[in-house]
Amino acid sequence: MKKIYIILTYTGTFLSKVIKCYTGDEFSHVSIALDTDLNQMYSFGRLNPYNPFYGGFVHERINKGTFKRFSKTTARIYSLQIEDEQYEKLKEEIRQMKKVRREYRFNTIGLLAVGFKVRIKRDNYFYCAEFVKYVLEQAEIEKDLPSLIRPENFKSIKNLKTEYEGLLKLYKLRNKVEVGI
């Protein structure tokens, strides 16, 4: 068995405020990580922390890029136990996407359509929640998520365990305190 991590965040950016306003949800972004330190954390979001209109597949880091720029980002981090085979499939799917990341684009139209309860799916286009759902499906991880997906929907995955809640930038510090480093 292996653990993966589902990370829900709210940065407080203009776009995240708009999303929060029309969904009423606590969080506006979701990422997936393959390790407890979140060094292997992926999503679809800003490719440049200063340009909200240029997005795609991103290897996110807690203290770099968008999360560094928006240091008051709040987060809830969940873990999920999965089979070794599922973990390997997930890791391979992300590796393949990372390899050809320039072929993927941010699904801005799809994201906006969610506010109108409409699903617009385009090949090689994802917004964050579509991406996380897609890689979970590719790894055959049972999650029973709706087709019109929002970050908050990931809270409903069975057997999720809350690992952390608070400022994202303090997550690693918390881990070091817990293990006595």
Side-chain angles (χ1 to χ4, degrees):
M1 298 289 280
K2 301 263 189 191
K3 272 188 187 179
I4 60 170
Y5 299 84
I6 304 292
I7 304 94
L8 297 176
T9 53
Y10 176 73
T11 58
T13 64
F14 176 75
L15 181 59
S16 68
K17 287 177 184 176
V18 168
I19 292 168
K20 192 174 192 171
C21 182
Y22 74 75
T23 63
D25 292 342
E26 181 180 6
F27 297 101
S28 57
H29 184 70
V30 62
S31 311
I32 190 165
L34 303 174
D35 65 315
T36 190
D37 288 332
L38 310 184
N39 292 321
Q40 297 177 67
M41 181 169 53
Y42 304 95
S43 192
F44 268 66
R46 292 176 183 220
L47 293 171
N48 177 328
Y50 294 93
N51 185 347
F53 304 106
Y54 181 54
F57 178 83
V58 288
H59 180 172
E60 297 176 314
R61 292 172 178 85
I62 292 175
N63 294 312
K64 291 184 180 179
T66 300
F67 291 137
K68 179 179 181 180
R69 178 162 186 241
F70 299 97
S71 62
K72 293 184 180 176
T73 296
T74 57
R76 186 169 304 139
I77 300 169
Y78 298 98
S79 65
L80 179 65
Q81 289 274 355
I82 61 173
E83 299 295 329
D84 292 350
E85 182 179 304
Q86 291 172 316
Y87 181 86
E88 291 305 318
K89 284 180 183 178
L90 179 65
K91 191 166 115 177
E92 180 59 20
E93 186 64 36
I94 291 171
R95 190 183 74 73
Q96 287 298 323
M97 290 182 87
K98 189 175 182 179
K99 193 174 170 182
V100 294
R101 67 181 161 268
R102 295 193 197 314
E103 294 178 15
Y104 293 97
R105 300 284 182 260
F106 190 83
N107 189 5
T108 307
I109 295 168
L111 177 64
L112 296 174
V114 172
F116 299 101
K117 297 185 178 13
V118 174
R119 182 171 185 249
I120 297 177
K121 180 66 185 126
R122 301 159 60 196
D123 289 344
N124 291 349
Y125 282 74
F126 294 94
Y127 58 87
C128 62
E130 285 179 317
F131 163 72
V132 174
K133 180 182 177 193
Y134 174 80
V135 295
L136 290 173
E137 287 172 347
Q138 296 307 302
E140 299 175 11
I141 299 169
E142 184 62 40
K143 73 275 157 262
D144 194 30
L145 294 166
S147 61
L148 186 61
I149 188 79
R150 301 185 336 246
E152 291 279 323
N153 296 131
F154 291 90
K155 291 178 177 179
S156 70
I157 295 175
K158 293 176 188 169
N159 301 317
L160 277 185
K161 179 183 172 201
T162 303
E163 296 286 341
Y164 175 78
E165 188 168 354
L167 289 177
L168 183 60
K169 69 181 181 182
L170 299 179
Y171 173 71
K172 282 190 177 182
L173 179 64
R174 171 203 158 265
N175 278 354
K176 288 179 182 178
V177 168
E178 281 184 359
V179 294
I181 296 175

